[in-house]
């Protein structure tokens, strides 16, 4: 998979941009605050229809404009693909492939795949469970775009259930009970399916994760990742029944896949609380690398790698280890400073105040 060319209109600080990428390594350089990450973010948007910085769509549209367009010319198995996403302020986003409008923008998912490494990734290890759930679910979508539907179904049911619990005000009338039964049956179905998918993914990631960690950390360690939700043994339906009184009282869904965690440990100790900063960084990188590897293997082609300012956070050893543990493929790397030794860019893009030009 290759992204050959990228066009932007009113995306972030870019009124317009037209960029050609190298098949190997393209480096994006420029002073901080001038639009390096924005450029990588646009590529990420084309792949996932979301910002890897977690920004809402409206923040991606240039201030003063009411829509933005990201268009990319990709190549997959020798075939050219013209991908286009249109972001509409406060409205429905649209997408096209080869100039054919898609019924739903989400149908663009999977056409282009990216793996992102960013300084924020440390939060995968140091942050709360939500970071790790997003990590797992993003990986599931990269493997099978249909998982995106599962995720949005879950969000929708949870929103409806919360609204109902609030409306109940702690009292279980027959009417509320009936509706709750319907919601819970749906929630149980979606939850069990998502948990099974997450578990299958973790099984696939584990062996790769251990090897990736050893490479990045340049040390042998026993790394474990365990996804074992407390409700899984008896299924979500039973857990929801058991939690119903509590849920009613607190007007939230206290148990389910939206509360799960992925427990990470290094040498038997919880990574979040016991690992050193260096070990945590290595583990965060290894988590990203292992998804990249599993997705490459699954789809037969490595995703486009986006490395956003990662070398500012890594010591030279880890930077070097990262560069050398990337599977062959296309990489887009942003940096405000020097490149690590060993990086040989095929193309350098200079960003300055919302403009970009090739060297
Ligand atoms: N929606 C927007 N409209 C206009 N400019 C924006 C928008 N979002 C971000 N910017 C500009 O982009 C700049 C940040 O660019 P960024 O790519 O993060 O910089 P860096 O080169 O440090 O990675 C901000 O300083 C801001 O001026
Ligand atoms: Mg940046």
């Amino acid at each position: 998979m290759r992204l050959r060319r990228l066009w932007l209109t009113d995306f972030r600080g870019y009124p317009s941009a037209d960029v050609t990428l190298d098949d190997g390594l393209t480096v994006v350089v420029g002073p901080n605050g001038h639009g390096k990450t924005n450029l990588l973010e646009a590529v990420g948007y084309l792949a996932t229809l979301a910002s890897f910085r977690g920004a809402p769509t409206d923040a991606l549209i240039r201030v003063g404009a009411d829509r933005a367009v990201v268009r990319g010319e990709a190549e997959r198995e020798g075939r050219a693909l013209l991908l286009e996403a249109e972001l509409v302020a406060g409205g429905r986003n649209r997408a096209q492939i080869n100039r054919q409008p898609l019924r739903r923008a989400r149908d663009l998912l999977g056409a282009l795949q990216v793996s992102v490494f960013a300084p924020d990734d440390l939060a995968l290890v140091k942050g709360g469970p939500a970071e790790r759930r997003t990590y797992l679910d993003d990986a599931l979508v990269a493997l099978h775009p249909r998982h995106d539907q599962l995720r949005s179904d879950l969000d929708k049911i949870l929103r409806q259930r919360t609204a109902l619990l609030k409306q109940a005000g702690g009292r279980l009338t027959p009417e509320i009970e009936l509706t709750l039964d319907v919601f819970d049956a749906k929630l149980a179905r979606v939850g069990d399916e998502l948990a099974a998918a997450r578990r299958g993914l973790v099984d696939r990631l584990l062996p790769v994760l251990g090897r990736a960690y050893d490479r990045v950390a340049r040390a042998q360690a026993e790394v474990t990742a365990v996804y074992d939700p407390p409700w899984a043994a008896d299924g979500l339906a039973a857990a929801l029944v058991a939690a119903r009184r509590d849920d009613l009282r607190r007007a939230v869904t206290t148990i389910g896949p939206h509360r799960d965690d992925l427990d990470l440990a290094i040498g038997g100790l919880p990574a979040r609380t016991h690992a050193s900063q260096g070990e945590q960084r290595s583990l965060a990188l290894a988590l990203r690398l292992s998804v990249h590897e599993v997705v490459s293997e699954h789809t037969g082609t490595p995703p486009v790698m986006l490395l956003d300012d990662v070398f500012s956070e890594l010591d030279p050893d880890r930077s070097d280890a990262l560069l050398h543990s990337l599977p062959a493929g296309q990489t887009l790397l942003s940096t405000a400073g020097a490149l690590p030794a060993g990086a040989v860019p095929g193309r350098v893009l200079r960003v300055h105040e919302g403009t970009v030009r090739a060297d």
Side-chain angles (χ1 to χ4, degrees):
M1 174 169 302
R2 296 278 186 273
L3 183 65
R4 299 217 176 277
R5 204 161 159 190
L6 180 74
W7 294 266
L8 306 181
T9 307
D10 291 330
F11 186 89
R12 292 282 200 187
Y14 291 100
S16 75
D18 175 353
V19 171
T20 303
L21 305 175
D22 189 73
D23 278 357
L25 176 62
T26 301
V27 174
V28 182
V29 294
N32 281 326
H34 282 234
K36 299 182 298 297
T37 302
N38 293 346
L39 199 63
L40 271 59
E41 193 179 34
V43 176
Y45 190 86
L46 209 47
T48 63
L49 296 172
S51 156
F52 62 67
R53 292 196 248 201
T57 299
D58 284 6
L60 308 180
I61 300 171
R62 196 166 67 88
V63 171
D66 54 14
R67 40 164 245 153
V69 177
V70 182
R71 188 190 302 141
E73 188 184 284
E75 189 199 299
R76 188 168 194 157
E77 287 152 16
R79 287 187 27 221
L81 278 177
L82 188 66
L83 310 172
E84 187 175 305
E86 186 187 17
L87 296 75
V88 184
R92 282 177 83 86
N93 299 335
R94 288 187 282 257
Q96 298 189 352
I97 297 184
N98 294 336
R99 301 197 186 280
Q100 297 298 309
L102 300 175
R103 205 166 53 79
R104 301 171 313 159
R106 323 267 347 144
D107 293 338
L108 191 69
L109 293 177
L112 174 70
Q113 298 206 303
V114 297
S115 298
V116 183
F117 289 72
D120 288 356
D121 286 348
L122 188 58
L124 283 179
V125 181
K126 287 190 80 164
E131 306 280 349
R132 289 176 289 280
R133 288 194 298 271
T134 304
Y135 163 79
L136 289 177
D137 295 346
D138 284 351
L140 284 175
V141 174
L143 286 171
H144 304 283
R146 68 178 160 80
H147 284 125
D148 185 59
Q149 187 65 50
L150 202 55
R151 175 150 71 170
S152 52
D153 287 351
L154 174 69
D155 290 346
K156 188 173 154 197
I157 300 165
L158 285 170
R159 272 198 311 273
Q160 290 174 332
R161 196 173 188 271
T162 304
L164 183 72
L165 292 170
K166 286 217 172 89
Q167 183 197 332
R171 284 187 317 276
L172 195 62
T173 64
E175 209 178 14
I176 298 275
E177 189 169 23
L178 216 62
T179 317
L180 203 51
D181 284 344
V182 174
F183 286 175
D184 287 6
K186 271 198 225 167
L187 180 55
R189 203 167 52 237
V190 171
D192 286 339
E193 197 182 333
L194 185 59
R198 285 175 178 170
R199 189 169 301 117
L201 171 68
V202 173
D203 286 346
R204 257 173 113 169
L205 286 175
L206 253 186
V208 189
L209 179 67
R211 286 194 299 273
Y213 182 88
D214 291 349
R215 272 199 321 270
V216 178
R218 298 203 157 144
Q220 298 263 320
E222 190 214 339
V223 173
T224 53
V226 178
Y227 176 70
D228 188 17
W231 51 269
D234 299 323
L236 189 51
L240 287 170
V241 170
R244 188 170 272 194
R245 272 184 57 184
D246 215 23
D247 285 6
L248 263 169
R249 193 170 49 79
R250 295 167 56 185
V252 284
T253 303
T254 54
I255 195 143
H258 60 297
R259 291 283 177 108
D260 294 347
D261 201 354
L262 176 71
D263 298 318
L264 301 169
I266 302 174
L269 298 172
R272 193 172 68 81
T273 48
H274 287 62
S276 72
Q277 178 101 335
E279 289 168 330
Q280 290 175 337
R281 280 200 192 287
S282 295
L283 182 53
L285 274 176
L287 285 165
R288 292 289 186 213
L289 266 179
S290 49
V291 168
H292 183 74
E293 270 186 59
V294 167
V295 172
S296 301
E297 203 174 282
H298 180 82
T299 60
T301 175
V304 177
M305 178 68 81
L306 306 177
L307 301 177
D308 185 32
D309 209 20
V310 282
F311 299 121
S312 63
E313 303 277 328
L314 294 176
D315 55 46
D317 259 10
R318 283 199 178 82
S319 300
D320 205 50
L322 169 61
L323 272 178
H324 287 99
S325 45
L326 297 179
Q330 190 179 27
T331 301
L332 196 56
L333 181 163
S334 77
T335 176
L339 280 179
V344 188
R347 183 173 277 264
V348 175
L349 301 173
R350 295 199 181 272
V351 164
H352 189 81
E353 289 179 355
T355 63
V356 49
R357 60 176 179 79
D359 251 8

